[in-house]
Amino acid sequence: MNNYFSIQDIDSLPDWVDEAIKIKKDPLSGKNLGRDKTIGLLFFNPSLRTRLSTQKAALNLGMNVIVMNFTGEGWSLEYGDGIVMNQGNSEHIKEAAQVVSQYCDVLGIRAFAKLENREDDYNEKVLKSFIKHSTIPVINMESATGHPLQALTDAITITENQKNKKPKVVLSWAPHPKALPQAVANSFVEMMQHMDANFVITHPVGFELASHITKQVPIDYNQKNALKDADFVYIKNWSSYQDYGKTLDNDLSWKMTQEKMELTNEAKFMHCLPVRRNVVVDDAVIDSKNSLVIEQANNRTYAAQLVLTKILEKS
Ligand code: SN0
């Protein structure tokens, strides 16, 4: 595998999940694979889990890690071709990507959606430019439209916790004080289409995700109806795709409560974190025995380690 840009880069999901679970049982089994190799992690946005779990994964493989927060510390980058650079941006992606490629063997990039212009975000300017101009493999650590490391983590976590062969999985929108990207929801939706699951999305009217991502997945605008008999409930806020980047009416009645969880088949509660307690989900739910959020965060290391293993084995 050259790059891990989206979940389409996974050639066989069942094999990948099995391999990640094996790595989890013996995380130091590949401790020489990355010896004398360096991973560079570039962040254009904040991070806790992605940053530390990817570092941890690299360390488990014997790699060296260098991390840079680009916003405020790196030169502001220009991406346009043939631009006269007499405005604010100091450095072109062409040089930046080639220079970083000389210092590192693998590159991780986080660059969230700006939520200003849908076409710009969905063209994945930042990630695709790094992939185009780097000479080393690039890993998506949440781009404008996807978070494939999180989705791989979620596939691992569901597999580990499922009690029946074809679980019912519900992705439910939740309210949030800020406009958030669609990235986590997009990759989760794509991932569930590759799993043997009875998958339903529920959200208020106006929060439809891109149809090229949701495809045939059923959408139920009635949250309580969707939650019936669910085995896994994945909660996530996203801003509108149609009215791009807007939060519309931000209906607080969509918060996940214990009362709603009682409609489910004792469902496991999932969220990628960070989460706004008592806005997105009540304390009673996230603190319950059915909450998988801490386990999910733990699995981030093994998802990243698997991706790095695949890249190192190829290079
Ligand atoms: C990001 C998102 O894409 O939704 C990252 C999730 C892994 N989440 C946020 O930006 C939350 C910020 C907040 O203030 O709650």
Side-chain angles (χ1 to χ4, degrees), residues 46 49-50 110 112 142-143 147 150 176-184 236-238 271-276 300:
R49 280 147 291 278
T50 299
R110 163 162 284 193
F112 286 179
E142 187 171 337
S143 66
H147 196 355
Q150 182 65 51
H176 200 284
K178 273 168 56 180
L180 297 187
Q182 292 113 28
V184 171
K236 183 72 185 82
N237 169 268
W238 60 86
H271 189 284
C272 62
L273 304 181
V275 70
R276 304 281 189 129
R300 290 295 309 272

Side-chain angles (χ1 to χ4, degrees), residues 143-208:
S143 66
T145 69
H147 196 355
L149 283 174
Q150 182 65 51
L152 180 56
T153 300
D154 298 333
I156 297 164
T157 310
I158 289 175
T159 304
E160 287 180 319
N161 284 282
Q162 70 185 66
K163 293 194 196 103
N164 45 351
K165 225 180 145 302
K166 190 167 178 166
K168 178 173 177 185
V169 180
V170 180
L171 170 65
S172 176
W173 182 91
H176 200 284
K178 273 168 56 180
L180 297 187
Q182 292 113 28
V184 171
N186 284 346
S187 292
F188 187 72
V189 169
E190 290 180 314
M191 182 57 88
M192 285 308 110
Q193 291 173 78
H194 286 86
M195 286 189 73
D196 194 12
N198 171 8
F199 180 49
V200 181
I201 308 173
T202 181
H203 56 67
V205 173
F207 285 98
E208 291 75 11

Side-chain angles (χ1 to χ4, degrees), residues 119-135:
E119 203 180 313
D120 280 357
D121 284 344
Y122 274 73
N123 281 338
E124 289 286 11
K125 184 179 71 186
V126 178
L127 254 282
K128 287 204 170 149
S129 299
F130 268 102
I131 289 174
K132 182 169 172 197
H133 297 294
S134 301
T135 54

Side-chain angles (χ1 to χ4, degrees), residues 253-281:
S253 71
W254 280 71
K255 178 182 69 171
M256 191 47 50
T257 64
Q258 193 55 40
E259 189 193 10
K260 290 180 197 170
M261 289 300 282
E262 262 137 46
L263 301 168
T264 70
N265 180 27
E266 289 181 58
K268 300 289 187 189
F269 170 80
M270 298 177 75
H271 189 284
C272 62
L273 304 181
V275 70
R276 304 281 189 129
R277 280 173 175 259
N278 303 308
V279 176
V280 169
V281 56

